[in-house]
Amino acid sequence: MGLTEAENAVPLIEFSHVSFAYGDATVVDDVSFAVNRGEIVALLGPNGCGKTTLMRIMNGLEFADSGTVMFEGERVDRALAKDELAAKRLHQRMGYVFQNADDQLFCPSVEEEAAFGPAQMGLPEEEVDRRVADALALFNISDLAPLAPYRLSGGQKKRVTLAAIVSMNPDVLVLDEPTNGLDEDSADAVTAFLVSYAKAGKTVVVSTHHRDFVEQLGARPIRIGKDHRLVSDAVPESAVGNVAAR
Ligand SMILES: Nc1ncnc2c1ncn2[C@@H]1O[C@H](COP(=O)(O)OP(=O)(O)OP(=O)(O)O)[C@@H](O)[C@H]1O
Ligand SMILES: [Mg+2]
């Protein structure tokens, strides 16, 4: 990937003793983990344990009350969010697909949704068009291109949000329950895409409640407990083969 040894030695994403509360309610409690380049990692745990919150903190949409969050050796904190250039860089390098598609979609058409990110990156028009066509084809929604996202079904909306992020070709994909609401063929296509994305040297962080999805991805599990604390990010025996096979 053309990285120096020093760059390779630093984890891509690193949470160290991160805690976060909404008001008085602690929803992330002293959580530490690292994600390396080219890995597929799965955040697992019961409803309300804090997976979405961890992803929002990872993307600089919320900030740790204590502990540190690093991306490529740079601190993700309020100072970074206030620095327009640094924040833009983070959001172009780390694509975030929200759990709820309605929170993400805002353009008048599917096509514009997929074009927004690449256009913001300042890419030439032909390149934007090419990326939009590729992303829509990838998630099998080319025929929906002119339609208004709010009129689509839940699974169709989810596929639009995936296309809108993938069209930016980010180094890291953070996907909050990406297969939720998808039919089997669409879920399989997303799985195959994420595996190939990581094979190409990109990094993938998902949250999910589906064991099959974790296995098919060959993802390294990071488990959060009901108590909002880390359970274990060790590779279980059953997943060793999957990880080694990647
Ligand atoms: N904006 C908010 N204000 C107050 N509390 C919130 C807010 N968002 C989430 N919470 C609370 O924080 C806790 C963690 O929520 P989070 O969405 O991170 O859980 P999750 O692990 O993603 O759950 P799920 O599996 O249902 O998606 C929950 O108890 C939730 O009620
Ligand atoms: Mg969630």
Side-chain angles (χ1 to χ4, degrees):
M1 282 196 300
L3 293 174
T4 64
E5 252 177 62
E7 280 171 324
N8 264 326
V10 181
L12 187 67
I13 300 166
E14 192 166 27
F15 276 54
S16 303
H17 301 288
V18 170
S19 294
F20 176 86
Y22 282 112
D24 291 341
T26 294
V27 301
V28 175
D29 193 357
D30 193 28
V31 170
S32 301
F33 63 86
V35 179
N36 295 309
R37 288 180 180 77
E39 261 198 305
I40 305 182
V41 158
L43 291 179
L44 308 174
N47 291 140
C49 71
K51 301 177 299 296
T52 295
T53 307
L54 284 167
M55 289 184 155
R56 290 179 60 80
I57 294 171
M58 200 176 280
N59 282 276
L61 300 176
E62 308 282 359
F63 303 99
D65 296 327
S66 59
T68 55
V69 177
M70 308 290 282
F71 176 58
E72 294 193 307
E74 190 173 10
R75 232 176 128 149
V76 180
D77 56 10
R78 283 197 169 78
L80 179 141
K82 279 189 193 140
D83 179 341
E84 214 173 295
L85 266 184
K88 195 170 170 188
R89 202 166 54 233
L90 174 72
H91 291 129
Q92 290 181 348
R93 307 237 15 237
M94 197 189 299
Y96 178 30
V97 179
F98 290 9
Q99 180 165 4
N100 181 358
D102 288 322
D103 291 341
Q104 187 167 337
L105 299 168
F106 63 99
C107 290
S109 73
V110 167
E111 199 166 23
E112 285 161 278
E113 206 71 65
F116 184 82
Q120 282 285 302
M121 292 166 76
L123 296 172
E125 208 177 308
E126 294 126 60
E127 174 68 9
V128 173
D129 290 348
R130 194 180 61 76
R131 286 192 183 205
V132 169
D134 286 354
L136 297 189
L138 187 61
F139 297 106
N140 201 16
I141 47 173
S142 306
D143 54 337
L144 307 180
L147 302 185
Y150 75 89
R151 295 184 54 175
L152 303 178
S153 77
Q156 288 170 332
K157 281 183 190 170
K158 190 83 185 178
R159 280 143 66 193
V160 176
T161 61
L162 287 159
I165 296 302
V166 166
S167 63
M168 287 189 281
N169 191 25
D171 290 330
V172 189
L173 269 178
V174 179
L175 311 108
D176 201 349
E177 304 201 21
T179 57
N180 254 22
L182 296 190
D183 59 48
E184 279 184 12
D185 285 350
S186 302
D188 287 349
V190 169
T191 307
F193 165 73
L194 294 177
V195 169
S196 68
Y197 209 63
K199 277 213 177 101
K202 308 280 194 172
T203 307
V204 176
V205 180
V206 299
S207 77
T208 183
H209 294 289
H210 302 289
R211 270 186 221 135
D212 290 0
F213 183 49
V214 179
E215 269 182 30
Q216 286 157 6
L217 287 173
R220 174 167 63 90
I222 295 179
R223 291 178 206 284
I224 311 295
K226 252 196 329 234
D227 59 359
H228 312 290
R229 297 171 72 88
L230 195 70
V231 176
S232 161
D233 65 352
V235 180
E237 287 294 303
S238 62
V240 168
N242 287 331
V243 171
R246 275 205 281 117

